[in-house]
Amino acid sequence: MIDFQPDRARGQAPTLVEQLVAAVQRAIETQALRPGMALPSVREFARQYAVSTFTVASAYSRLVSQGWLTARPGAGYRVAAPETPARRAEPLSWEPPRLNDSWLLSDIFADHSIPIKSGCGWLPGEWLNEEGLHMALRHLGRVPAMRIANYGHPYGYAPLRETIAAGLAAHGMEVDASQVLLTQGVTHGLDTVIRTLLRPGDTVLVEQPAYANLLQMLRLAGMRTVAVPRGAEGLDCEALERAAALHRPRALFINTALQNPSGASIGMANAFRILQAAERHGLWVVEDDISRELATGLTPMLAALDGSRRVVYLGGYSKVISPSVRVGYVVAHRDLVRDIARTKMAVGLTTPEIMERIVHQVIREGRYRAHIERTRERLGQAHAAVARHMDELGFEICARPGAGLFLWAKVGGTWRERGANGLAELALKDGIWLAPGSYFEASEADTPWVRFNVAYSEAPELWRFMRNAGAA
């Protein structure tokens, strides 16, 4: 049906992705594949031709973007109908998007045309807990419509809040369900916390580097941000003391476990020094802990050590269940949670109970812990493979957690002096999305650091590009 005979000659033949794209196009043009016919699944094709699933998924994605194939959840990949606008006698050439704030913050989530998504912040679709989601959806289908037809409670679905409180107790954080507020993901939670605790013109401390979306939210809210260096061992507490004394900030925003973008986690001594500084200077500490489920070792939880006095804790499920199931939570002192709930209702009303019920059912389903363990194992293997590529090219790696999504590395060659923005622009032309350091800098300075999502960074094409682009 598809005449695909991969040529693996290094440096001479087109990439395997390009070869596979061409083979499918030939099969469609010669009518060996007809409109509506299904293609083999990604795994089946990869097994049949002894190529990686990443190669097949990248080729299929490129064929969808060019109009040769269609993709529907549950139906796989099929040959597009002749009247599809993108299909013409000559296929449309792929054009890279423009690398700017608009694409990063909005269009990127709808852009499925980029074959290699090394810069993204989520797990591959085939890694997600598909069986658990399907079981939860079937369970939800049996719930009487009248029970899910209303707005729901301002704090969110009570059984899920109780489950979250019980789970936090296992980490030494004693709270009850009245201290848990559900949100539409951690990013929404951060927004409600910012709106509740802070006012335009306030000074806040952020990590350097820091979560890119947090920096954008603080800018939109009119905050003055001061960066405190963060490295493999945690936050620079001497710099924290100086910044707090000089700028009199209202809050510190921090990732504790598997920080985005560095992948590093704080240690116990670092955690105590952060809390002591917060006490001395009257700081709120906003702890974004979205990646804790992916951590393999013991990482201190600031909110547990603090007893929820100065620490506002945020967690969620986008990294382990699905990014499209937008459910997160905020945990804090009971009075503060009441104020955050008022903000939540003022700007968006209640959160979708249907999504919250799905998450609750997935957690209750017996295979959830096994799914977490499998994901940790796969990420550990990906970390080892990607770090080997980086070592071969002489990249400087900030931390080697062996867990979580990210490795943060300083590229070499001419880009070490010029910064990674130009490298990212060049990579997009080759269908590779990189996340340069400027995304994660409060000052937006162009740096030679790049965030790599290890689950998307094993493709040989990525490392071939790095060599050819002079990043070694």
mmCIF file of all heavy atoms in Angstrom, residues 97-124:
data_model
loop_
_atom_site.group_PDB
_atom_site.id
_atom_site.type_symbol
_atom_site.label_atom_id
_atom_site.label_comp_id
_atom_site.label_asym_id
_atom_site.label_seq_id
_atom_site.Cartn_x
_atom_site.Cartn_y
_atom_site.Cartn_z
ATOM 1 N N PRO A 97 5.774 29.444 11.607
ATOM 2 C CA PRO A 97 5.121 30.611 12.194
ATOM 3 C C PRO A 97 6.142 31.632 12.631
ATOM 4 O O PRO A 97 7.336 31.342 12.728
ATOM 5 C CB PRO A 97 4.389 30.006 13.407
ATOM 6 C CG PRO A 97 5.193 28.809 13.757
ATOM 7 C CD PRO A 97 5.722 28.268 12.469
ATOM 8 N N ARG A 98 5.677 32.840 12.921
ATOM 9 C CA ARG A 98 6.575 33.867 13.426
ATOM 10 C C ARG A 98 6.766 33.662 14.915
ATOM 11 O O ARG A 98 5.824 33.435 15.659
ATOM 12 C CB ARG A 98 6.003 35.262 13.158
ATOM 13 C CG ARG A 98 5.965 35.644 11.696
ATOM 14 C CD ARG A 98 5.549 37.092 11.550
ATOM 15 N NE ARG A 98 6.491 37.980 12.232
ATOM 16 C CZ ARG A 98 6.223 39.259 12.502
ATOM 17 N NH1 ARG A 98 5.065 39.787 12.162
ATOM 18 N NH2 ARG A 98 7.117 40.012 13.119
ATOM 19 N N LEU A 99 7.994 33.774 15.371
ATOM 20 C CA LEU A 99 8.330 33.567 16.775
ATOM 21 C C LEU A 99 8.111 34.879 17.521
ATOM 22 O O LEU A 99 8.963 35.743 17.549
ATOM 23 C CB LEU A 99 9.787 33.118 16.901
ATOM 24 C CG LEU A 99 10.244 32.620 18.255
ATOM 25 C CD1 LEU A 99 9.541 31.322 18.615
ATOM 26 C CD2 LEU A 99 11.751 32.413 18.265
ATOM 27 N N ASN A 100 6.924 35.034 18.113
ATOM 28 C CA ASN A 100 6.632 36.252 18.862
ATOM 29 C C ASN A 100 5.715 35.926 20.043
ATOM 30 O O ASN A 100 5.305 34.784 20.229
ATOM 31 C CB ASN A 100 5.983 37.308 17.954
ATOM 32 C CG ASN A 100 4.749 36.785 17.244
ATOM 33 O OD1 ASN A 100 4.034 35.922 17.758
ATOM 34 N ND2 ASN A 100 4.491 37.297 16.049
ATOM 35 N N ASP A 101 5.399 36.945 20.846
ATOM 36 C CA ASP A 101 4.600 36.715 22.045
ATOM 37 C C ASP A 101 3.223 36.168 21.725
ATOM 38 O O ASP A 101 2.678 35.332 22.454
ATOM 39 C CB ASP A 101 4.447 38.019 22.838
ATOM 40 C CG ASP A 101 5.740 38.414 23.530
ATOM 41 O OD1 ASP A 101 6.635 37.560 23.611
ATOM 42 O OD2 ASP A 101 5.847 39.571 23.973
ATOM 43 N N SER A 102 2.605 36.644 20.626
ATOM 44 C CA SER A 102 1.272 36.183 20.268
ATOM 45 C C SER A 102 1.267 34.689 19.986
ATOM 46 O O SER A 102 0.399 33.950 20.453
ATOM 47 C CB SER A 102 0.764 36.950 19.045
ATOM 48 O OG SER A 102 -0.459 36.411 18.584
ATOM 49 N N TRP A 103 2.260 34.230 19.203
ATOM 50 C CA TRP A 103 2.324 32.801 18.893
ATOM 51 C C TRP A 103 2.609 31.994 20.148
ATOM 52 O O TRP A 103 2.000 30.971 20.400
ATOM 53 C CB TRP A 103 3.416 32.562 17.851
ATOM 54 C CG TRP A 103 3.512 31.132 17.414
ATOM 55 C CD1 TRP A 103 2.648 30.476 16.584
ATOM 56 C CD2 TRP A 103 4.511 30.185 17.773
ATOM 57 N NE1 TRP A 103 3.056 29.173 16.417
ATOM 58 C CE2 TRP A 103 4.194 28.971 17.132
ATOM 59 C CE3 TRP A 103 5.649 30.245 18.567
ATOM 60 C CZ2 TRP A 103 4.970 27.822 17.266
ATOM 61 C CZ3 TRP A 103 6.426 29.114 18.700
ATOM 62 C CH2 TRP A 103 6.086 27.914 18.050
ATOM 63 N N LEU A 104 3.526 32.477 20.997
ATOM 64 C CA LEU A 104 3.901 31.743 22.199
ATOM 65 C C LEU A 104 2.729 31.582 23.146
ATOM 66 O O LEU A 104 2.520 30.519 23.727
ATOM 67 C CB LEU A 104 5.056 32.470 22.912
ATOM 68 C CG LEU A 104 5.473 31.908 24.275
ATOM 69 C CD1 LEU A 104 6.029 30.504 24.114
ATOM 70 C CD2 LEU A 104 6.485 32.820 24.941
ATOM 71 N N LEU A 105 1.919 32.617 23.331
ATOM 72 C CA LEU A 105 0.885 32.596 24.361
ATOM 73 C C LEU A 105 -0.463 32.105 23.877
ATOM 74 O O LEU A 105 -1.315 31.760 24.684
ATOM 75 C CB LEU A 105 0.723 34.011 24.948
ATOM 76 C CG LEU A 105 1.914 34.488 25.779
ATOM 77 C CD1 LEU A 105 1.698 35.919 26.235
ATOM 78 C CD2 LEU A 105 2.142 33.585 26.973
ATOM 79 N N SER A 106 -0.698 32.062 22.565
ATOM 80 C CA SER A 106 -2.036 31.655 22.121
ATOM 81 C C SER A 106 -1.989 30.731 20.916
ATOM 82 O O SER A 106 -2.426 29.578 20.994
ATOM 83 C CB SER A 106 -2.885 32.894 21.805
ATOM 84 O OG SER A 106 -2.242 33.699 20.837
ATOM 85 N N ASP A 107 -1.411 31.192 19.810
ATOM 86 C CA ASP A 107 -1.460 30.404 18.581
ATOM 87 C C ASP A 107 -0.738 29.075 18.711
ATOM 88 O O ASP A 107 -1.101 28.095 18.063
ATOM 89 C CB ASP A 107 -0.839 31.195 17.412
ATOM 90 C CG ASP A 107 -1.588 32.474 17.122
ATOM 91 O OD1 ASP A 107 -2.753 32.552 17.541
ATOM 92 O OD2 ASP A 107 -1.026 33.381 16.507
ATOM 93 N N ILE A 108 0.261 29.030 19.553
ATOM 94 C CA ILE A 108 1.075 27.821 19.683
ATOM 95 C C ILE A 108 0.238 26.610 20.075
ATOM 96 O O ILE A 108 0.502 25.484 19.698
ATOM 97 C CB ILE A 108 2.191 28.070 20.716
ATOM 98 C CG1 ILE A 108 3.261 27.008 20.617
ATOM 99 C CG2 ILE A 108 1.663 28.125 22.128
ATOM 100 C CD1 ILE A 108 4.481 27.316 21.436
ATOM 101 N N PHE A 109 -0.825 26.837 20.850
ATOM 102 C CA PHE A 109 -1.639 25.730 21.331
ATOM 103 C C PHE A 109 -2.559 25.178 20.248
ATOM 104 O O PHE A 109 -3.109 24.095 20.394
ATOM 105 C CB PHE A 109 -2.446 26.170 22.551
ATOM 106 C CG PHE A 109 -1.558 26.517 23.719
ATOM 107 C CD1 PHE A 109 -1.273 27.832 24.037
ATOM 108 C CD2 PHE A 109 -0.977 25.524 24.480
ATOM 109 C CE1 PHE A 109 -0.440 28.143 25.093
ATOM 110 C CE2 PHE A 109 -0.135 25.828 25.537
ATOM 111 C CZ PHE A 109 0.133 27.142 25.848
ATOM 112 N N ALA A 110 -2.732 25.930 19.170
ATOM 113 C CA ALA A 110 -3.550 25.450 18.060
ATOM 114 C C ALA A 110 -2.707 25.056 16.850
ATOM 115 O O ALA A 110 -3.236 24.582 15.859
ATOM 116 C CB ALA A 110 -4.553 26.534 17.643
ATOM 117 N N ASP A 111 -1.395 25.246 16.961
ATOM 118 C CA ASP A 111 -0.500 24.999 15.831
ATOM 119 C C ASP A 111 0.035 23.568 15.916
ATOM 120 O O ASP A 111 0.915 23.271 16.720
ATOM 121 C CB ASP A 111 0.654 26.004 15.861
ATOM 122 C CG ASP A 111 1.475 25.985 14.575
ATOM 123 O OD1 ASP A 111 1.425 24.959 13.861
ATOM 124 O OD2 ASP A 111 2.144 26.985 14.289
ATOM 125 N N HIS A 112 -0.525 22.676 15.086
ATOM 126 C CA HIS A 112 -0.110 21.274 15.104
ATOM 127 C C HIS A 112 0.832 20.944 13.939
ATOM 128 O O HIS A 112 1.104 19.788 13.681
ATOM 129 C CB HIS A 112 -1.346 20.367 15.030
ATOM 130 C CG HIS A 112 -2.302 20.591 16.158
ATOM 131 N ND1 HIS A 112 -2.003 20.272 17.462
ATOM 132 C CD2 HIS A 112 -3.556 21.124 16.182
ATOM 133 C CE1 HIS A 112 -3.028 20.578 18.246
ATOM 134 N NE2 HIS A 112 -3.967 21.101 17.495
ATOM 135 N N SER A 113 1.323 21.983 13.263
ATOM 136 C CA SER A 113 2.082 21.736 12.040
ATOM 137 C C SER A 113 3.563 21.494 12.296
ATOM 138 O O SER A 113 4.268 21.053 11.402
ATOM 139 C CB SER A 113 1.922 22.926 11.088
ATOM 140 O OG SER A 113 2.548 24.088 11.623
ATOM 141 N N ILE A 114 4.043 21.815 13.481
ATOM 142 C CA ILE A 114 5.473 21.724 13.744
ATOM 143 C C ILE A 114 5.831 20.294 14.111
ATOM 144 O O ILE A 114 5.347 19.761 15.110
ATOM 145 C CB ILE A 114 5.875 22.685 14.869
ATOM 146 C CG1 ILE A 114 5.489 24.109 14.486
ATOM 147 C CG2 ILE A 114 7.370 22.599 15.151
ATOM 148 C CD1 ILE A 114 5.653 25.101 15.590
ATOM 149 N N PRO A 115 6.676 19.641 13.351
ATOM 150 C CA PRO A 115 6.956 18.214 13.595
ATOM 151 C C PRO A 115 7.680 17.934 14.910
ATOM 152 O O PRO A 115 7.387 16.961 15.583
ATOM 153 C CB PRO A 115 7.815 17.812 12.394
ATOM 154 C CG PRO A 115 7.544 18.843 11.345
ATOM 155 C CD PRO A 115 7.282 20.116 12.090
ATOM 156 N N ILE A 116 8.653 18.770 15.271
ATOM 157 C CA ILE A 116 9.471 18.500 16.454
ATOM 158 C C ILE A 116 9.220 19.604 17.481
ATOM 159 O O ILE A 116 9.649 20.741 17.303
ATOM 160 C CB ILE A 116 10.961 18.417 16.085
ATOM 161 C CG1 ILE A 116 11.191 17.283 15.082
ATOM 162 C CG2 ILE A 116 11.823 18.201 17.329
ATOM 163 C CD1 ILE A 116 12.603 17.173 14.567
ATOM 164 N N LYS A 117 8.537 19.259 18.570
ATOM 165 C CA LYS A 117 8.073 20.251 19.554
ATOM 166 C C LYS A 117 8.952 20.227 20.799
ATOM 167 O O LYS A 117 8.460 20.080 21.919
ATOM 168 C CB LYS A 117 6.619 19.983 19.906
ATOM 169 C CG LYS A 117 5.660 20.037 18.728
ATOM 170 C CD LYS A 117 4.238 19.715 19.166
ATOM 171 C CE LYS A 117 3.261 19.800 18.005
ATOM 172 N NZ LYS A 117 3.526 18.796 16.958
ATOM 173 N N SER A 118 10.241 20.387 20.624
ATOM 174 C CA SER A 118 11.163 20.325 21.751
ATOM 175 C C SER A 118 10.899 21.420 22.772
ATOM 176 O O SER A 118 11.263 21.281 23.936
ATOM 177 C CB SER A 118 12.601 20.424 21.233
ATOM 178 O OG SER A 118 13.524 20.301 22.272
ATOM 179 N N GLY A 119 10.277 22.501 22.355
ATOM 180 C CA GLY A 119 10.056 23.632 23.254
ATOM 181 C C GLY A 119 8.741 23.609 23.990
ATOM 182 O O GLY A 119 8.463 24.515 24.770
ATOM 183 N N CYS A 120 7.920 22.583 23.799
ATOM 184 C CA CYS A 120 6.591 22.601 24.410
ATOM 185 C C CYS A 120 6.670 22.224 25.883
ATOM 186 O O CYS A 120 7.710 21.796 26.381
ATOM 187 C CB CYS A 120 5.625 21.697 23.658
ATOM 188 S SG CYS A 120 5.828 19.937 23.981
ATOM 189 N N GLY A 121 5.547 22.353 26.586
ATOM 190 C CA GLY A 121 5.533 22.123 28.023
ATOM 191 C C GLY A 121 4.614 21.017 28.480
ATOM 192 O O GLY A 121 4.175 21.035 29.631
ATOM 193 N N TRP A 122 4.339 20.045 27.608
ATOM 194 C CA TRP A 122 3.401 18.989 27.975
ATOM 195 C C TRP A 122 3.911 17.636 27.491
ATOM 196 O O TRP A 122 4.832 17.544 26.677
ATOM 197 C CB TRP A 122 2.018 19.270 27.396
ATOM 198 C CG TRP A 122 2.016 19.555 25.922
ATOM 199 C CD1 TRP A 122 1.975 18.648 24.897
ATOM 200 C CD2 TRP A 122 2.056 20.845 25.281
ATOM 201 N NE1 TRP A 122 1.992 19.276 23.677
ATOM 202 C CE2 TRP A 122 2.038 20.619 23.877
ATOM 203 C CE3 TRP A 122 2.108 22.159 25.752
ATOM 204 C CZ2 TRP A 122 2.066 21.669 22.971
ATOM 205 C CZ3 TRP A 122 2.134 23.197 24.833
ATOM 206 C CH2 TRP A 122 2.108 22.952 23.469
ATOM 207 N N LEU A 123 3.271 16.574 27.973
ATOM 208 C CA LEU A 123 3.638 15.223 27.576
ATOM 209 C C LEU A 123 3.066 14.885 26.205
ATOM 210 O O LEU A 123 2.019 15.422 25.820
ATOM 211 C CB LEU A 123 3.102 14.203 28.587
ATOM 212 C CG LEU A 123 3.788 14.135 29.949
ATOM 213 C CD1 LEU A 123 3.002 13.226 30.875
ATOM 214 C CD2 LEU A 123 5.223 13.645 29.812
ATOM 215 N N PRO A 124 3.698 13.985 25.459
ATOM 216 C CA PRO A 124 3.106 13.510 24.196
ATOM 217 C C PRO A 124 1.753 12.861 24.453
ATOM 218 O O PRO A 124 1.533 12.239 25.506
ATOM 219 C CB PRO A 124 4.122 12.477 23.697
ATOM 220 C CG PRO A 124 5.406 12.818 24.383
ATOM 221 C CD PRO A 124 5.019 13.374 25.721
#
